[in-house]
Amino acid sequence: MSVQLWTYLLVGLTFGLYIAIAIWSRAASTKEFYVAGGGISPWANGLATAADWMSAASFISMAGLISFMGYDGSVYLMGWTGGYVLLALLLAPYLRKFGQFTVPDFVGERYYSKSARVVAVLCALLVSFTYVAGQMRGVGVVFSRFLEVDINTGVIIGMIIVLFYAVLGGMKGITYTQVAQFCVLIFAFMVPAIFISIQMTGNPIPQLGMGSQLNDGSGTYLLERLNGLSQELGFANYTEGSKSRIDVFAITLALMVGTAGLPHVIVRFFTVKRVRDARKSAGIALLCIALLYTTAPAVAVFARTNLIDTVNSKPYNTMPEWFKNWEATGLLQFDDKNQDGIIQYNASSQNELQVDRDIMVLANPEIADLPPWVVALVAAGGLAAALSTAAGLLLVISSSISHDLIKKVFRPDISEKGELWSARLAAALAVVVAGYFGINPPGFVAAVVALAFGLAAASFFPAIILGIFYKKMNREGAISGMIVGISLMLFYMLKFKFGLFDGGKTAVAELQESWWWGISPEGFGSIAMVVNFIVALTVNRFYPPPPKEVQALVEEIRIPRGAGSAHQH
Amino acid sequence: MSPKSDQHKRYWRQNLRYLKLLLIIWFLASYGAAIIFKDLLDQLVIGGFPLGFWMAQQGAIYVFVILIFVYVGLMNRLDKKYDVNE
């Protein structure tokens, strides 16, 4: 069977599975729609959280990015896992005990203020919309390469699938589909990695294969060989990287704190039964995530070495079929500058090959010459990763609108049924908007996703931490902290990422010289977070402490017992 | 002060002690070993891995997973001891 046929088969089967699960587990009440009735087991929630978290970026882009960044790529590996330690230790148990439906719920109740809730809703919407556009785009890319439909058609097919199960099933449907999607995506990621690890080093465990000797009998270690190749071609040493240490530090911190502040991740911990389940399912989630995240750096090393070996100094007309296929998508470009018919790939201006980072994972099985079903499996896995994250984000968007805005701010007297229908309507609208951005990407999706982490770090994280660990924290402090944190982050991104104040995108490269303390916009969320803390604590001193009942609420969320019962604060 | 809320205070203080300890390890494993002291650790090469590089791309992640499960275990015990479990 051809790759094409296998892809249709596997993608069709997995899509059928997701839809069947959605029909079986549709939501009947708002509680089921928002938090799956609060009765999900810690294992199911852990797996669902992992699928929710691992997006098209984790599955498709991350290993590719690392393979070009070497050590610098560690910022993603540590940043997107270390945040779960913060979640499990500092946030999840207490937010579960608090026990309502959304993150703005917590901010609004804890800071006894509608304006705090509205600020939180705006942040949640901004973060989630920017994120979901990227997912839809990922769906489109996979469809266009493997099913050879137009990217826009791919986005629309993806929209219909997500619309179907997010609108029908709410959180309950999403949770069980995500469990299935986790199984598909992890299998699809591991199989090629194991094959290639055996091929290159003889070790079936990629995590170990990455540090093993090559299979060619030379006794050279894989990483030594890659460092040697990198030096030879003028790239930075693979295990060294080229970013400054302070920037690596700042980006890692911003990503970790941002992870812990992302509403679509936090809300998953509202779905379990007890406080202890919230802690445990954070551990299970990280275990599942770690499986992919410790394999990704191995895939990066294999793919990078394989790519250099396959293409460098080889005649263009001996290139295998995958090379031509990817050239057709424009993601791989060869320009024979010296007209010798041979591919020169290096770090100098004489480089003749442009490789898009995104194709490394998708092309990897083909580069390594694996059987067609493995190639098709990767396509199904990429779709599972993109769809599961998109669904989680859409739920946050719809609950922000129907619960936090309509029910809690504009129409408190809305009926249960009315709220459920407005949640469904909001989800449907959100899918359409997300699809629009997927078809017409704003041209800076990657930059905006980085902004989402910075925003979450600069806004939610300090407000929630102080709300739990500092009983005397008042609303004036928290709100001014959030506003100053977000504004500073926005200013820094606009200035240094978009060059807004210095003549637009062309000025961005030069502005790098004047980064504050040498910290990139991606890492600046960590500074904005610290500023948020300082402003919040300073302003806090000039206003009265929160009312007695709010202080009692803080006391209460610190004690696990009683989370099972419903709360009316 | 009622004896019950006194119990709760002590429970909370013990929780904070655990958090402090675990977060120090969290910091040392990632920001310490994998970033600040990376060059120092890289002088030690185990198998094909320079140690600092290994911490950054593998070790720190394993430490994170272990930390969460240790916390789960510690807190389940503490919840029982102070009779605040569910």
Side-chain angles (χ1 to χ4, degrees):
Chain A
M1 265 203 297
S2 71
V3 172
Q4 183 94 6
L5 212 59
W6 270 111
T7 311
Y8 276 114
L9 187 72
L10 289 180
V11 170
L13 274 177
T14 51
F15 275 26
L17 177 68
Y18 306 152
I19 290 173
I21 294 174
I23 293 173
W24 163 73
S25 59
R26 59 192 180 277
S29 67
T30 50
K31 195 170 184 208
E32 283 191 350
F33 193 91
Y34 294 140
V35 294
I40 301 287
S41 83
W43 271 99
N45 189 52
L47 265 62
T49 309
D52 202 333
W53 175 241
M54 291 189 283
S55 60
S58 294
F59 189 93
I60 300 174
S61 307
M62 192 176 66
L65 277 172
I66 298 169
S67 76
F68 286 85
M69 293 168 77
Y71 168 75
D72 292 343
S74 315
V75 297
Y76 302 115
L77 294 167
M78 290 191 288
W80 286 340
T81 53
Y84 277 83
V85 177
L86 299 177
L87 256 173
L89 271 55
L90 303 177
L91 302 173
Y94 312 108
L95 292 175
R96 172 61 196 92
K97 177 64 194 296
F98 171 72
Q100 286 197 3
F101 295 153
T102 66
V103 174
D105 259 341
F106 177 78
V107 176
E109 299 280 346
R110 169 60 183 84
Y111 294 114
Y112 45 101
S113 141
K114 262 190 191 163
S115 14
R117 183 190 284 271
V118 173
V119 170
V121 170
L122 292 179
C123 296
L125 287 177
L126 188 62
V127 169
S128 306
F129 263 122
T130 51
Y131 224 100
V132 82
Q135 304 306 319
M136 285 301 179
R137 195 68 192 162
V139 173
V141 170
V142 175
F143 267 108
S144 69
R145 165 64 185 86
F146 291 98
L147 300 176
E148 288 173 14
V149 297
D150 170 60
I151 286 197
N152 295 348
T153 319
V155 171
I156 292 169
I157 298 174
M159 270 170 64
I160 294 169
I161 300 282
V162 175
L163 191 69
F164 188 77
Y165 69 74
V167 171
L168 192 67
M171 188 57 131
K172 199 172 157 209
I174 287 174
T175 302
Y176 292 110
T177 348
Q178 280 173 338
V179 171
Q181 282 160 336
F182 173 76
C183 300
V184 172
L185 83 86
I186 201 70
F187 187 67
F189 199 82
M190 297 304 293
V191 166
I194 291 170
F195 267 117
I196 296 172
S197 185
I198 295 174
Q199 227 176 48
M200 292 183 77
T201 66
N203 195 324
I205 302 169
Q207 285 84 344
L208 298 176
M210 177 189 174
S212 301
Q213 291 166 337
L214 283 163
N215 226 353
D216 56 6
S218 62
T220 334
Y221 283 100
L222 179 56
L223 283 169
E224 267 172 19
R225 166 132 178 83
L226 184 52
N227 271 343
L229 283 171
S230 304
Q231 268 168 4
E232 207 178 290
L233 303 178
F235 296 106
N237 222 336
Y238 191 83
T239 56
E240 288 304 321
S242 53
K243 280 192 202 303
S244 73
R245 281 297 137 81
I246 183 161
D247 200 24
V248 170
F249 190 107
I251 298 175
T252 307
L253 184 62
L255 294 180
M256 278 195 196
V257 175
T259 303
L262 283 176
H264 73 285
V265 177
I266 294 176
V267 79
R268 288 237 49 102
F269 295 97
F270 289 78
T271 64
V272 293
K273 212 175 265 161
R274 297 169 301 186
V275 172
R276 55 185 297 184
D277 296 339
R279 297 188 198 115
K280 188 175 165 195
S281 72
I284 294 164
L286 184 60
L287 187 69
C288 298
I289 293 168
L291 204 56
L292 189 143
Y293 272 58
T294 54
T295 308
V299 170
V301 171
F302 301 148
R304 181 88 177 136
T305 313
N306 249 340
L307 176 79
I308 297 176
D309 279 343
T310 315
V311 302
N312 188 41
S313 308
K314 300 276 159 46
Y316 175 68
N317 52 23
T318 62
M319 281 299 115
E321 199 196 332
W322 62 264
F323 194 94
K324 310 262 153 62
N325 285 344
W326 282 104
E327 261 191 315
T329 63
L331 297 175
L332 190 67
Q333 284 168 346
F334 172 60
D335 169 22
D336 198 4
K337 286 181 186 150
N338 57 6
Q339 301 291 323
D340 62 355
I342 291 170
I343 300 171
Q344 270 92 27
Y345 178 57
N346 52 51
S348 75
S349 60
Q350 297 307 308
N351 174 42
E352 299 175 341
L353 190 71
Q354 298 294 336
V355 188
D356 189 284
R357 273 68 174 150
D358 281 353
I359 73 173
M360 295 303 278
V361 166
L362 297 176
N364 206 17
E366 294 172 286
I367 297 178
D369 213 11
L370 297 181
W373 66 269
V374 179
V375 180
L377 190 60
V378 172
L383 287 172
L387 289 178
S388 58
T389 307
L393 289 161
L394 289 170
L395 193 91
V396 167
I397 295 171
S398 86
S399 58
S400 294
I401 294 171
S402 66
H403 181 73
D404 291 311
L405 287 182
I406 298 179
K407 166 91 178 169
K408 294 285 179 157
V409 179
F410 295 119
R411 282 196 52 199
D413 56 339
I414 191 169
S415 72
E416 157 93 11
K417 216 171 166 186
E419 193 187 341
L420 187 58
W421 276 107
S422 62
R424 292 205 159 113
L425 193 67
L429 274 176
V431 176
V432 175
V433 174
Y436 173 81
F437 283 122
I439 293 172
N440 306 297
F444 43 79
V445 171
V448 181
V449 168
L451 177 73
F453 278 90
L455 283 174
S459 59
F460 285 128
F461 185 76
I464 300 175
I465 290 289
L466 289 170
I468 295 165
F469 289 88
Y470 188 35
K471 206 167 41 173
K472 296 255 175 347
M473 190 67 215
N474 58 28
R475 69 174 165 214
E476 289 81 0
I479 296 176
S480 37
M482 281 197 284
I483 291 175
V484 172
I486 277 202
S487 314
L488 185 64
M489 182 67 215
L490 273 174
F491 165 78
Y492 200 81
M493 292 292 292
L494 291 174
K495 179 164 171 64
F496 291 107
K497 191 91 200 176
F498 301 108
L500 197 68
F501 312 113
D502 303 275
K505 288 226 93 165
T506 46
V508 170
E510 275 170 47
L511 285 170
Q512 199 160 335
E513 295 291 308
S514 46
W515 283 353
W516 302 357
W517 309 288
I519 292 174
S520 60
E522 286 77 11
F524 195 75
S526 48
I527 305 289
M529 169 198 72
V530 173
V531 172
N532 178 336
F533 271 115
I534 294 171
V535 169
L537 290 169
T538 312
V539 173
N540 188 54
R541 301 172 64 111
F542 297 99
Y543 290 91
K548 280 268 172 321
E549 59 273 17
V550 170
Q551 298 198 31
L553 165 72
V554 177
E555 293 277 343
E556 198 197 297
I557 60 172
R558 292 176 176 181
I559 305 298
R561 179 165 291 174
S565 58
H567 287 273
Q568 276 310 325
H569 298 295
Chain B
M1 183 171 289
S2 74
K4 191 170 175 198
S5 73
D6 196 42
Q7 279 282 81
H8 286 177
K9 275 221 164 64
R10 269 188 291 156
Y11 166 81
W12 184 246
R13 267 202 298 272
Q14 184 61 39
N15 179 19
L16 293 181
R17 269 198 290 275
Y18 288 155
L19 290 180
K20 215 180 287 167
L21 178 75
L22 295 175
L23 287 176
I24 288 172
I25 300 174
W26 166 81
F27 184 86
L28 289 179
S30 48
Y31 299 94
I35 299 176
I36 300 170
F37 299 112
K38 183 209 176 240
D39 293 326
L40 196 71
L41 291 177
D42 268 354
Q43 292 170 7
L44 201 66
V45 179
I46 300 172
F49 287 114
L51 187 60
F53 175 79
W54 183 82
M55 278 307 290
Q57 303 216 330
Q58 298 278 313
I61 302 175
Y62 300 132
V63 173
F64 296 154
V65 175
I66 294 168
L67 282 177
I68 297 185
F69 282 106
V70 167
Y71 183 67
V72 169
L74 287 173
M75 288 311 281
N76 284 349
R77 248 186 30 208
L78 195 68
D79 288 354
K80 274 207 193 83
K81 186 176 162 200
Y82 283 91
D83 191 32
V84 292
N85 57 333
E86 303 143 88

